[in-house]
Amino acid sequence: MELRAELLKSIWYAFTSLDVEKSGKVSKSQLKVLSHNLYTALNIPHDPVALEDHFRDDDDGPVSNQGYMPYLNKFILDKVVEGTFDKENVDVFCWTLCAKKNYRPKDGVGVLLDKDAFHLWCIFNFLSEDKYPLILAPEEVEYLLKKICLAMSVELSCVDMEDFISQEPVQLSGITVWAFLDFVNTGRLTRGVENDSVTMAIDKVYQEIVGNIIKEGYLWKKGHLRRNWNERWFSLRPSTLHYYVSEDRKECKGCIELDHNCCVEVLPEKEGKRCMFCVKTLTKTYEMSAPDTKQRQEWTTAIQTAIRLCVEGKNSLHKDLKLRRRKLREERERRRTTKEEELQRLCLLQGEKESKLAELELLQEAQRHSQAALLQEEQKRRQKHEELQRTLQDQLQQAEEERDNMQAEMALKDAETDRQRKRIRELEEMQVRLEEALHQEIRARQNEEAYRLTQASLLVEEEEKMKVLLALQEEQEQYILKTQREKQELRQEMVTKSQALEEAQHQLEKVRANRHRMDQDIATAQRKLRQASTSVKHWNVQMNRLMHPIGPGAKCEQVPVSNSLSFLHSLSCFRSDSLLPERRLSLGEEKECEERVSIIGREERRLSHASNGDMDCA
């Protein structure tokens, strides 16, 4: 699904570039050529006759984006097999179609080369969302520009960046790829930077994001056969670590497959190499040396990241990072919406408060009116009372009988006055209670706002602690996996050593048995040697007797030849049979025996000649 989405982005640009009138429809002849080129670029076998029939000149067939999508899905995208084609060829084809119509640098001259613009177009497609028309969020634009400036070793101009992002179309709907390329071509980000540096930086970012390369660089590697050190260019991806002869990546010398069984370890200095580390797999251990400690740390961290992505089943680091940035943007949007809702609720509460204040003012106004009416009534009453008094004084003599009636009326008026005064006191008490209620409500609003601020700070703190807890949990899982691997290796090593120990004990028992047999054979040989030595001494005595000179006329005692022959036979038997194969005579002993045998032989021949001469004389 990810490959289909990436291909659709490039094909969408190609389709819209063919829509010259911007009506959402493309002629059938252009769609036929587009489909044929897509078949070729995607290495999909197709029938040209069926293609001609599908896009023949009539009123039916796909002519719009909605009409072409079923054909594109059924006959092209459903037949795509990953690994059988080069996606860059598809991107080059789609870029060639859309760039002729949409990419026009001002005055025909720009900072970017055609290759650089193509690479930025590919990176833009990778970072954009799967929504059409394709746009890039302002946060993603800032992320991409920071990556390019970091690769050029320059600092991103915040003023230019804010001016570009603060434009109304960018804020409302995002930025298109052509507006992005126009902004880069203005040269506001590459002031004082050579074009070669810009090209190298864009190519580096392209290889990292689109080429899915986590890290590249030179390292020293130790060979497996010759065990010598060679400098190689290493290229790290989420599942492989290739190493080449040079950075042009033309001659690949090997590939290290990374999976959940791999691990990275830091090694101490040896053989004159510093900053060493190794990558262990199930079959081999690859030893490498970095230029410095910082590079070693970066490489070990990058390889561990690649192994983590492989274990999690993810094939791209930047796709994972893009998803995380998208989640952060959605979270910020939710927080902004929540904040706006809180502000609306506060506005409603403020309106309710103002309405209650207005009601309170109305009550106060009514109280003032009632007090004014009471004062006017009191004044009228006093005037009337004075008039009555004057009338009574004038008619005192004449209306003595009416005095009692007048006094009763006065009593009624006094009672009415008391009621009016009591009502005034109740209104004043009500005003005091309303003021107290208003102050209590104000304090409650203030307490509620303080509680809300405290709750927000607690939520932020809880979120930070949750992030730390997740990081610690991930680190603990890595330590557990590493400990389990080390425990398994130790168990295997203990089993191997125990087997070797048993085999050594068995061989030791065999050696002891052989040594016992050798001791017995040596004792037998020594016994036979002593017997042979006794026999030799005996024959030496016999030879000394035979070697005395014989006087004239004396009888020569003949030595029987059979005795000499029996001696020689016994001596030869001693040499051949007395010693076992495990115990032979030394070189000096053999020479001594041979000399004695030769002396005995000469003496026997001389005695035999002498005996023959005596026999002739007789």
Side-chain angles (χ1 to χ4, degrees), residues 271-297:
E271 300 179 7
K273 292 295 181 181
R274 301 173 60 249
C275 304
M276 293 182 60
F277 65 96
C278 68
V279 179
K280 289 185 177 181
T281 63
L282 285 177
T283 57
K284 291 182 181 180
T285 298
Y286 299 87
E287 296 184 8
M288 285 161 274
S289 174
D292 50 35
T293 307
K294 180 181 178 183
Q295 287 289 327
R296 179 175 68 178
Q297 180 65 30

Side-chain angles (χ1 to χ4, degrees), residues 151-213:
M152 292 188 296
S153 299
V154 298
E155 187 176 356
L156 179 63
S157 177
C158 297
V159 177
D160 296 337
M161 187 67 196
E162 290 294 333
D163 292 342
F164 177 64
I165 294 180
S166 61
Q167 297 177 5
E168 185 175 355
V170 176
Q171 289 290 334
L172 293 177
S173 60
I175 182 174
T176 62
V177 65
W178 314 117
F180 177 73
L181 293 177
D182 291 339
F183 173 71
V184 178
N185 269 323
T186 58
R188 298 166 67 181
L189 298 175
T190 58
R191 296 189 185 97
V193 181
E194 298 180 356
N195 292 335
D196 293 339
S197 300
V198 176
T199 301
M200 291 176 63
I202 293 175
D203 183 68
K204 180 179 179 181
V205 177
Y206 173 79
Q207 293 294 336
E208 179 181 351
I209 297 178
V210 181
N212 202 16
I213 295 176

Side-chain angles (χ1 to χ4, degrees), residues 440-454:
Q440 290 178 359
E441 184 178 1
I442 292 172
R443 287 195 296 272
R445 297 298 181 187
Q446 292 176 353
N447 293 333
E448 182 181 3
E449 186 175 0
Y451 291 153
R452 288 184 182 277
L453 293 175
T454 306

Side-chain angles (χ1 to χ4, degrees), residues 400-463:
E400 187 66 30
E401 63 278 4
E402 295 180 358
R403 182 175 181 180
D404 296 330
N405 294 330
M406 185 63 67
Q407 288 178 354
E409 186 178 356
M410 287 295 295
L412 292 174
K413 292 293 184 179
D414 290 336
E416 183 68 20
T417 303
D418 293 335
R419 287 195 298 272
Q420 292 293 333
R421 289 177 180 175
K422 184 177 180 181
R423 184 179 178 186
I424 290 170
R425 286 196 298 272
E426 289 177 354
L427 289 175
E428 290 177 351
E429 291 176 356
M430 184 181 294
Q431 181 181 1
V432 171
R433 286 196 298 272
L434 287 174
E435 288 178 355
E436 289 177 356
L438 180 61
H439 290 305
Q440 290 178 359
E441 184 178 1
I442 292 172
R443 287 195 296 272
R445 297 298 181 187
Q446 292 176 353
N447 293 333
E448 182 181 3
E449 186 175 0
Y451 291 153
R452 288 184 182 277
L453 293 175
T454 306
Q455 184 180 7
S457 62
L458 289 174
L459 288 174
V460 172
E461 184 178 359
E462 182 180 1
E463 184 178 1

Side-chain angles (χ1 to χ4, degrees), residues 224-236:
H224 287 285
L225 299 178
R226 299 178 62 186
R227 308 302 290 172
N228 57 340
W229 289 90
N230 296 310
E231 191 175 21
R232 298 289 185 236
W233 177 265
F234 282 81
S235 179
L236 176 64

Side-chain angles (χ1 to χ4, degrees), residues 259-437:
D259 54 17
H260 64 280
N261 295 315
C262 299
C263 64
V264 184
E265 292 183 0
V266 177
L267 300 178
E269 298 180 6
K270 64 178 181 178
E271 300 179 7
K273 292 295 181 181
R274 301 173 60 249
C275 304
M276 293 182 60
F277 65 96
C278 68
V279 179
K280 289 185 177 181
T281 63
L282 285 177
T283 57
K284 291 182 181 180
T285 298
Y286 299 87
E287 296 184 8
M288 285 161 274
S289 174
D292 50 35
T293 307
K294 180 181 178 183
Q295 287 289 327
R296 179 175 68 178
Q297 180 65 30
E298 291 178 357
W299 272 104
T300 53
T301 304
I303 295 173
Q304 288 174 353
T305 302
I307 294 173
R308 177 180 60 81
L309 291 174
C310 186
V311 171
E312 293 176 356
K314 299 175 181 177
N315 56 4
S316 176
L317 174 62
H318 286 277
K319 286 181 180 178
D320 188 26
L321 295 177
K322 183 176 77 171
L323 291 176
R324 291 183 182 179
R325 292 195 298 272
R326 183 195 301 171
K327 290 180 180 177
L328 290 175
R329 287 199 301 272
E330 293 174 354
E331 184 66 23
R332 285 197 297 269
E333 185 66 23
R334 285 196 296 269
R335 289 180 180 177
R336 186 182 62 81
T337 306
T338 305
K339 188 175 181 180
E340 290 179 355
E341 292 176 355
E342 290 290 336
L343 290 175
Q344 291 177 359
R345 285 197 294 269
L346 289 175
C347 290
L348 291 175
L349 292 174
Q350 186 68 23
E352 292 177 358
K353 180 180 177 181
E354 291 177 355
S355 62
K356 289 184 178 181
L357 289 175
E359 291 177 359
L360 183 60
E361 290 179 355
L362 291 175
L363 290 174
Q364 292 176 351
E365 185 69 20
Q367 183 179 5
R368 287 194 296 269
H369 285 300
S370 63
Q371 288 179 353
L374 288 174
L375 290 175
Q376 290 178 359
E377 187 177 355
E378 183 70 19
Q379 290 177 358
K380 290 179 180 179
R381 187 184 65 79
R382 288 177 180 178
Q383 292 176 0
K384 189 175 181 180
H385 183 67
E386 290 175 355
E387 290 177 356
L388 288 174
Q389 282 182 352
R390 286 194 299 270
T391 304
L392 288 174
Q393 286 178 0
D394 292 338
Q395 296 178 0
L396 183 61
Q397 300 298 329
Q398 299 174 4
E400 187 66 30
E401 63 278 4
E402 295 180 358
R403 182 175 181 180
D404 296 330
N405 294 330
M406 185 63 67
Q407 288 178 354
E409 186 178 356
M410 287 295 295
L412 292 174
K413 292 293 184 179
D414 290 336
E416 183 68 20
T417 303
D418 293 335
R419 287 195 298 272
Q420 292 293 333
R421 289 177 180 175
K422 184 177 180 181
R423 184 179 178 186
I424 290 170
R425 286 196 298 272
E426 289 177 354
L427 289 175
E428 290 177 351
E429 291 176 356
M430 184 181 294
Q431 181 181 1
V432 171
R433 286 196 298 272
L434 287 174
E435 288 178 355
E436 289 177 356

